[in-house]
Amino acid sequence: MGRPLDLLLRGGTLVDGTGAPAREADVAVADGRIAVLPAGTEAAAAEVLDVSGRVVAPGFIDVHTHSDALAAPLGDGAPAPADELRLAPLLQGVTTEICGNCGTSLFPSLPERLPELAEHLRVTFGIGPVRPAVDFDAFAAGQDPALRHNHIASLVGHGTLRAGVMGFEARPPRPDELDAMCALLDRALAQGAAGLSTGLIYPPGTYADTEEIVALAAVAARRGKPYVTHLRDEMAQVEPALEEALEIARRSGAALQVSHHKTAGRHAWGATLRTLPRLERARAEGVDVLCDVYPYTAGSTVLHAMLPPWASEGGVGALLERLRRGDVRDRIRADIAAGVAGWENTVGNGGWDLIAVAAARSRPDAEGRRVADLAAEQGVDPVDYVCDLLLAERGEVTIISHSMREDDVRRVLAGPLSMIGSDGVPKPGRPHPRWAGSFARVLGHYARDERLLSLERAVHKMSGLPARRFGLTGRGEVRDGAVADLVVFDPETVCDRATFDRPLLTPEGVGTVVVAGRVAVRDGRPTAERAGEVVRVR
């Protein structure tokens, strides 16, 4: 390499992230960059690790996280997130996370909108008062390097953008408001944000029509960055929702990333037999569409998303005031029973017996238990229980929804257009085990044990494919000159251990993780290194 080597990984099997067949090679690191050497090359290094019998791969890229606030400044008196929450991705080999998904990011906003936006973000991220930022530069400056175990890139959340310009009103934007949103988005993308995301089931994103999203996605297209969407419906109306996303991509010219693609709820089970061929057909017709998926049949989100969208109009304060009223609760019950046009009715598609409380700070006894059971114990209707819980927690409750079928998950995982994202929601309590287990689960359960996909394809879906999709230059592949983000794992033993009861159990078989050329995990345990950085996508 012409420079002294800092690290040499000797004797391993290289799976380089491109999808190419595994091969024997040594991997060297100097000044944070990679050199691939023929197996058995004699070379001196400050540290030599014998990785015989193990796989050397690019550090994994988690394309879908909600970890925005884990290394950002919180408001006064906010508890610091536990280290085990921060470390969970790293310990399964994730060296880069993409946050700002589902329409919620910590930026951008007009300065005068920051106070009300902060309350919305508190409920969303669930770790205390969160300080939003006016733009991407301010977000990046707010990341604490002492807490940054791995790299982070961020999308621009449309819901945050909308709230940061026009608040939480259920109406189309005025022309001047849409112009302001486009200008804020363009500035953030120019500063290095990775793309635009929407969460069209979540207020205030759900209040936006197709025309509004087309206008914003066109800004992303001009910057060469993708439109990333949590569809308007992933349940009974998943197919029309997917058509809306494809229309937005065609009309705007933006590449389309369908977030955590699923067909959830009993009315949509099996619909991947139609949605996946539809995506492949659209791609053949010229739409640059891909998707991501997590390897579980349960999802996780905020509890207030189980309520009809009108309940959240005006923001968190207005929602909580409404929930005190009996007539509002009766209307919620009626809407869940009958449905509301354009609303993804999760409970109506499944039932409160499929919804478990994941995080409720003042009610730890409720965490891990189903809403139907909790309500029955108190002798109350589930809607009343939910409203009371939201009031007690000031809206800050996370849930897990057991709404999918295994055959649908398997089809998306195996499909040619999918990559892996945890959709991790790192909050205290009993978070979904996907935050600590997704990547190890794909490698161990689905690739090795089930043989659903080859090891090379699995690694490609975790590294090279996402790096190309999100413009992460120099990442996602083990090749000469690439950023030295690496993971070493035992292909025979790697597996997830996280469960719904013990969601942060670390995986087995992941021995070494290198971030920017520095060993961040050694023998499966974190080191003191903090080499992560905010990645700017240009």
Side-chain angles (χ1 to χ4, degrees), residues 108-110 134 161 164-165 179-189:
S109 174
L110 298 174
V134 294
L161 183 62
V165 170
D179 288 345
M181 284 193 276
C182 288
L184 285 175
L185 172 61
D186 188 64
R187 183 171 71 182
L189 295 173

Side-chain angles (χ1 to χ4, degrees), residues 61 63 256-262 272 275-276 279-280 283 289-295 408-421 439 442 452-453 456-470:
I61 298 169
V63 299
L256 172 63
Q257 180 80 11
V258 179
S259 294
H260 43 58
H261 183 44
K262 63 175 74 76
T272 53
T275 61
L276 293 173
L279 290 176
E280 292 184 42
R283 189 167 180 85
V289 58
L290 296 170
C291 67
D292 52 77
V293 59
Y294 51 83
D408 286 313
V409 173
R410 290 171 66 93
R411 285 188 200 102
V412 184
L413 280 169
L417 303 185
S418 65
M419 59 193 75
I420 308 304
F439 291 81
V442 170
L452 184 66
L453 64 170
E456 291 89 346
R457 282 190 66 211
V459 170
H460 178 59
K461 286 172 177 279
M462 300 174 178
S463 54
L465 184 58
R468 287 206 306 273
R469 164 52 93 209
F470 290 96

Side-chain angles (χ1 to χ4, degrees), residues 128-143:
V130 179
R131 296 172 184 160
V134 294
D135 60 15
F136 181 85
D137 278 348
F139 162 78
Q143 296 286 303

